[in-house]
PDB file of all heavy atoms in Angstrom:
ATOM      1  N   LEU A  81     -11.132 -22.555  -4.540  1.00 98.00           N
ATOM      2  CA  LEU A  81     -11.319 -21.347  -3.755  1.00 98.00           C
ATOM      3  C   LEU A  81     -12.081 -21.742  -2.492  1.00 98.00           C
ATOM      4  O   LEU A  81     -13.276 -22.069  -2.562  1.00 98.00           O
ATOM      5  CB  LEU A  81     -12.090 -20.285  -4.535  1.00 98.00           C
ATOM      6  CG  LEU A  81     -12.207 -18.929  -3.818  1.00 98.00           C
ATOM      7  CD1 LEU A  81     -10.823 -18.263  -3.741  1.00 98.00           C
ATOM      8  CD2 LEU A  81     -13.194 -18.010  -4.534  1.00 98.00           C
ATOM      9  N   GLN A  82     -11.371 -21.753  -1.384  1.00 98.00           N
ATOM     10  CA  GLN A  82     -11.999 -22.008  -0.095  1.00 98.00           C
ATOM     11  C   GLN A  82     -12.514 -20.684   0.446  1.00 98.00           C
ATOM     12  O   GLN A  82     -11.741 -19.741   0.614  1.00 98.00           O
ATOM     13  CB  GLN A  82     -10.993 -22.619   0.873  1.00 98.00           C
ATOM     14  CG  GLN A  82     -11.540 -22.858   2.270  1.00 98.00           C
ATOM     15  CD  GLN A  82     -12.621 -23.917   2.294  1.00 98.00           C
ATOM     16  OE1 GLN A  82     -12.492 -24.955   1.651  1.00 98.00           O
ATOM     17  NE2 GLN A  82     -13.698 -23.670   3.030  1.00 98.00           N
ATOM     18  N   MET A  83     -13.797 -20.629   0.718  1.00 98.00           N
ATOM     19  CA  MET A  83     -14.430 -19.395   1.168  1.00 98.00           C
ATOM     20  C   MET A  83     -14.995 -19.601   2.565  1.00 98.00           C
ATOM     21  O   MET A  83     -15.900 -20.423   2.749  1.00 98.00           O
ATOM     22  CB  MET A  83     -15.537 -18.977   0.191  1.00 98.00           C
ATOM     23  CG  MET A  83     -15.078 -18.872  -1.251  1.00 98.00           C
ATOM     24  SD  MET A  83     -16.345 -18.226  -2.353  1.00 98.00           S
ATOM     25  CE  MET A  83     -17.544 -19.538  -2.260  1.00 98.00           C
ATOM     26  N   ASN A  84     -14.456 -18.881   3.517  1.00 98.00           N
ATOM     27  CA  ASN A  84     -14.906 -18.957   4.905  1.00 98.00           C
ATOM     28  C   ASN A  84     -15.508 -17.629   5.338  1.00 98.00           C
ATOM     29  O   ASN A  84     -15.301 -16.600   4.693  1.00 98.00           O
ATOM     30  CB  ASN A  84     -13.732 -19.316   5.815  1.00 98.00           C
ATOM     31  CG  ASN A  84     -13.131 -20.672   5.491  1.00 98.00           C
ATOM     32  OD1 ASN A  84     -13.806 -21.580   5.025  1.00 98.00           O
ATOM     33  ND2 ASN A  84     -11.827 -20.805   5.733  1.00 98.00           N
ATOM     34  N   SER A  85     -16.214 -17.660   6.431  1.00 98.00           N
ATOM     35  CA  SER A  85     -16.827 -16.445   6.987  1.00 98.00           C
ATOM     36  C   SER A  85     -17.582 -15.664   5.914  1.00 98.00           C
ATOM     37  O   SER A  85     -17.415 -14.445   5.769  1.00 98.00           O
ATOM     38  CB  SER A  85     -15.748 -15.560   7.625  1.00 98.00           C
ATOM     39  OG  SER A  85     -15.057 -16.262   8.633  1.00 98.00           O
ATOM     40  N   LEU A  86     -18.396 -16.367   5.182  1.00 98.00           N
ATOM     41  CA  LEU A  86     -19.086 -15.742   4.052  1.00 98.00           C
ATOM     42  C   LEU A  86     -20.072 -14.679   4.516  1.00 98.00           C
ATOM     43  O   LEU A  86     -20.693 -14.801   5.590  1.00 98.00           O
ATOM     44  CB  LEU A  86     -19.802 -16.803   3.231  1.00 98.00           C
ATOM     45  CG  LEU A  86     -18.874 -17.599   2.306  1.00 98.00           C
ATOM     46  CD1 LEU A  86     -19.509 -18.906   1.865  1.00 98.00           C
ATOM     47  CD2 LEU A  86     -18.493 -16.757   1.089  1.00 98.00           C
ATOM     48  N   LYS A  87     -20.193 -13.657   3.704  1.00 98.00           N
ATOM     49  CA  LYS A  87     -21.081 -12.529   3.985  1.00 98.00           C
ATOM     50  C   LYS A  87     -22.112 -12.417   2.852  1.00 98.00           C
ATOM     51  O   LYS A  87     -21.840 -12.843   1.725  1.00 98.00           O
ATOM     52  CB  LYS A  87     -20.268 -11.238   4.045  1.00 98.00           C
ATOM     53  CG  LYS A  87     -19.120 -11.252   5.037  1.00 98.00           C
ATOM     54  CD  LYS A  87     -18.305  -9.978   4.934  1.00 98.00           C
ATOM     55  CE  LYS A  87     -17.128  -9.991   5.896  1.00 98.00           C
ATOM     56  NZ  LYS A  87     -16.317  -8.741   5.795  1.00 98.00           N
ATOM     57  N   PRO A  88     -23.247 -11.811   3.128  1.00 97.00           N
ATOM     58  CA  PRO A  88     -24.236 -11.630   2.056  1.00 97.00           C
ATOM     59  C   PRO A  88     -23.659 -10.907   0.845  1.00 97.00           C
ATOM     60  O   PRO A  88     -24.048 -11.198  -0.297  1.00 97.00           O
ATOM     61  CB  PRO A  88     -25.328 -10.796   2.735  1.00 97.00           C
ATOM     62  CG  PRO A  88     -25.257 -11.208   4.168  1.00 97.00           C
ATOM     63  CD  PRO A  88     -23.782 -11.410   4.442  1.00 97.00           C
ATOM     64  N   GLU A  89     -22.720 -10.009   1.055  1.00 96.00           N
ATOM     65  CA  GLU A  89     -22.129  -9.280  -0.071  1.00 96.00           C
ATOM     66  C   GLU A  89     -21.194 -10.147  -0.912  1.00 96.00           C
ATOM     67  O   GLU A  89     -20.703  -9.696  -1.952  1.00 96.00           O
ATOM     68  CB  GLU A  89     -21.383  -8.027   0.416  1.00 96.00           C
ATOM     69  CG  GLU A  89     -20.400  -8.262   1.532  1.00 96.00           C
ATOM     70  CD  GLU A  89     -20.987  -7.956   2.903  1.00 96.00           C
ATOM     71  OE1 GLU A  89     -22.152  -8.360   3.174  1.00 96.00           O
ATOM     72  OE2 GLU A  89     -20.257  -7.347   3.722  1.00 96.00           O
ATOM     73  N   ASP A  90     -20.938 -11.366  -0.489  1.00 98.00           N
ATOM     74  CA  ASP A  90     -20.174 -12.305  -1.317  1.00 98.00           C
ATOM     75  C   ASP A  90     -21.065 -13.001  -2.348  1.00 98.00           C
ATOM     76  O   ASP A  90     -20.557 -13.753  -3.191  1.00 98.00           O
ATOM     77  CB  ASP A  90     -19.509 -13.380  -0.448  1.00 98.00           C
ATOM     78  CG  ASP A  90     -18.437 -12.803   0.477  1.00 98.00           C
ATOM     79  OD1 ASP A  90     -17.660 -11.938   0.023  1.00 98.00           O
ATOM     80  OD2 ASP A  90     -18.383 -13.228   1.637  1.00 98.00           O
ATOM     81  N   THR A  91     -22.362 -12.768  -2.268  1.00 98.00           N
ATOM     82  CA  THR A  91     -23.280 -13.368  -3.230  1.00 98.00           C
ATOM     83  C   THR A  91     -22.947 -12.916  -4.641  1.00 98.00           C
ATOM     84  O   THR A  91     -22.864 -11.709  -4.922  1.00 98.00           O
ATOM     85  CB  THR A  91     -24.733 -12.984  -2.888  1.00 98.00           C
ATOM     86  OG1 THR A  91     -25.083 -13.565  -1.635  1.00 98.00           O
ATOM     87  CG2 THR A  91     -25.691 -13.457  -3.966  1.00 98.00           C
ATOM     88  N   ALA A  92     -22.725 -13.888  -5.534  1.00 98.00           N
ATOM     89  CA  ALA A  92     -22.312 -13.571  -6.904  1.00 98.00           C
ATOM     90  C   ALA A  92     -22.180 -14.866  -7.687  1.00 98.00           C
ATOM     91  O   ALA A  92     -22.193 -15.958  -7.120  1.00 98.00           O
ATOM     92  CB  ALA A  92     -20.972 -12.842  -6.909  1.00 98.00           C
ATOM     93  N   VAL A  93     -22.049 -14.723  -8.996  1.00 98.00           N
ATOM     94  CA  VAL A  93     -21.596 -15.821  -9.827  1.00 98.00           C
ATOM     95  C   VAL A  93     -20.072 -15.778  -9.824  1.00 98.00           C
ATOM     96  O   VAL A  93     -19.482 -14.729 -10.100  1.00 98.00           O
ATOM     97  CB  VAL A  93     -22.140 -15.719 -11.262  1.00 98.00           C
ATOM     98  CG1 VAL A  93     -21.585 -16.847 -12.123  1.00 98.00           C
ATOM     99  CG2 VAL A  93     -23.663 -15.753 -11.264  1.00 98.00           C
ATOM    100  N   TYR A  94     -19.465 -16.900  -9.486  1.00 98.00           N
ATOM    101  CA  TYR A  94     -18.017 -16.981  -9.400  1.00 98.00           C
ATOM    102  C   TYR A  94     -17.482 -17.694 -10.638  1.00 98.00           C
ATOM    103  O   TYR A  94     -17.981 -18.763 -11.009  1.00 98.00           O
ATOM    104  CB  TYR A  94     -17.601 -17.734  -8.136  1.00 98.00           C
ATOM    105  CG  TYR A  94     -17.717 -16.878  -6.901  1.00 98.00           C
ATOM    106  CD1 TYR A  94     -18.962 -16.539  -6.389  1.00 98.00           C
ATOM    107  CD2 TYR A  94     -16.583 -16.388  -6.255  1.00 98.00           C
ATOM    108  CE1 TYR A  94     -19.081 -15.737  -5.263  1.00 98.00           C
ATOM    109  CE2 TYR A  94     -16.682 -15.585  -5.134  1.00 98.00           C
ATOM    110  CZ  TYR A  94     -17.936 -15.258  -4.646  1.00 98.00           C
ATOM    111  OH  TYR A  94     -18.048 -14.452  -3.532  1.00 98.00           O
ATOM    112  N   TYR A  95     -16.475 -17.082 -11.242  1.00 98.00           N
ATOM    113  CA  TYR A  95     -15.865 -17.605 -12.455  1.00 98.00           C
ATOM    114  C   TYR A  95     -14.394 -17.898 -12.206  1.00 98.00           C
ATOM    115  O   TYR A  95     -13.701 -17.122 -11.550  1.00 98.00           O
ATOM    116  CB  TYR A  95     -15.945 -16.590 -13.585  1.00 98.00           C
ATOM    117  CG  TYR A  95     -17.330 -16.171 -13.980  1.00 98.00           C
ATOM    118  CD1 TYR A  95     -17.960 -15.098 -13.365  1.00 98.00           C
ATOM    119  CD2 TYR A  95     -18.009 -16.834 -14.999  1.00 98.00           C
ATOM    120  CE1 TYR A  95     -19.235 -14.704 -13.739  1.00 98.00           C
ATOM    121  CE2 TYR A  95     -19.279 -16.442 -15.390  1.00 98.00           C
ATOM    122  CZ  TYR A  95     -19.889 -15.379 -14.751  1.00 98.00           C
ATOM    123  OH  TYR A  95     -21.143 -14.990 -15.126  1.00 98.00           O
ATOM    124  N   CYS A  96     -13.913 -19.004 -12.771  1.00 98.00           N
ATOM    125  CA  CYS A  96     -12.471 -19.187 -12.803  1.00 98.00           C
ATOM    126  C   CYS A  96     -11.974 -18.807 -14.187  1.00 98.00           C
ATOM    127  O   CYS A  96     -12.726 -18.844 -15.179  1.00 98.00           O
ATOM    128  CB  CYS A  96     -12.049 -20.593 -12.431  1.00 98.00           C
ATOM    129  SG  CYS A  96     -12.459 -21.876 -13.621  1.00 98.00           S
ATOM    130  N   ALA A  97     -10.718 -18.404 -14.242  1.00 98.00           N
ATOM    131  CA  ALA A  97     -10.119 -17.961 -15.490  1.00 98.00           C
ATOM    132  C   ALA A  97      -8.654 -18.354 -15.516  1.00 98.00           C
ATOM    133  O   ALA A  97      -8.029 -18.549 -14.466  1.00 98.00           O
ATOM    134  CB  ALA A  97     -10.263 -16.451 -15.635  1.00 98.00           C
ATOM    135  N   ALA A  98      -8.117 -18.450 -16.723  1.00 97.00           N
ATOM    136  CA  ALA A  98      -6.722 -18.831 -16.923  1.00 97.00           C
ATOM    137  C   ALA A  98      -6.025 -17.789 -17.775  1.00 97.00           C
ATOM    138  O   ALA A  98      -6.610 -17.269 -18.741  1.00 97.00           O
ATOM    139  CB  ALA A  98      -6.640 -20.197 -17.596  1.00 97.00           C
ATOM    140  N   ALA A  99      -4.777 -17.490 -17.419  1.00 95.00           N
ATOM    141  CA  ALA A  99      -3.966 -16.539 -18.177  1.00 95.00           C
ATOM    142  C   ALA A  99      -2.568 -17.115 -18.344  1.00 95.00           C
ATOM    143  O   ALA A  99      -1.969 -17.555 -17.361  1.00 95.00           O
ATOM    144  CB  ALA A  99      -3.900 -15.199 -17.457  1.00 95.00           C
ATOM    145  N   PRO A 100      -2.028 -17.085 -19.551  1.00 91.00           N
ATOM    146  CA  PRO A 100      -0.649 -17.547 -19.729  1.00 91.00           C
ATOM    147  C   PRO A 100       0.294 -16.715 -18.864  1.00 91.00           C
ATOM    148  O   PRO A 100       0.113 -15.504 -18.736  1.00 91.00           O
ATOM    149  CB  PRO A 100      -0.384 -17.306 -21.218  1.00 91.00           C
ATOM    150  CG  PRO A 100      -1.720 -17.181 -21.844  1.00 91.00           C
ATOM    151  CD  PRO A 100      -2.625 -16.608 -20.794  1.00 91.00           C
ATOM    152  N   SER A 101       1.278 -17.372 -18.276  1.00 87.00           N
ATOM    153  CA  SER A 101       2.228 -16.649 -17.433  1.00 87.00           C
ATOM    154  C   SER A 101       2.965 -15.619 -18.257  1.00 87.00           C
ATOM    155  O   SER A 101       3.589 -15.941 -19.268  1.00 87.00           O
ATOM    156  CB  SER A 101       3.217 -17.635 -16.806  1.00 87.00           C
ATOM    157  OG  SER A 101       2.542 -18.517 -15.945  1.00 87.00           O
TER     158      SER A 101
END
Side-chain angles (χ1 to χ4, degrees):
L81 186 68
Q82 177 66 43
M83 306 186 294
N84 298 330
S85 302
L86 282 161
K87 304 175 182 180
E89 51 263 44
D90 294 318
T91 295
V93 177
Y94 283 72
Y95 300 89
C96 69
S101 296

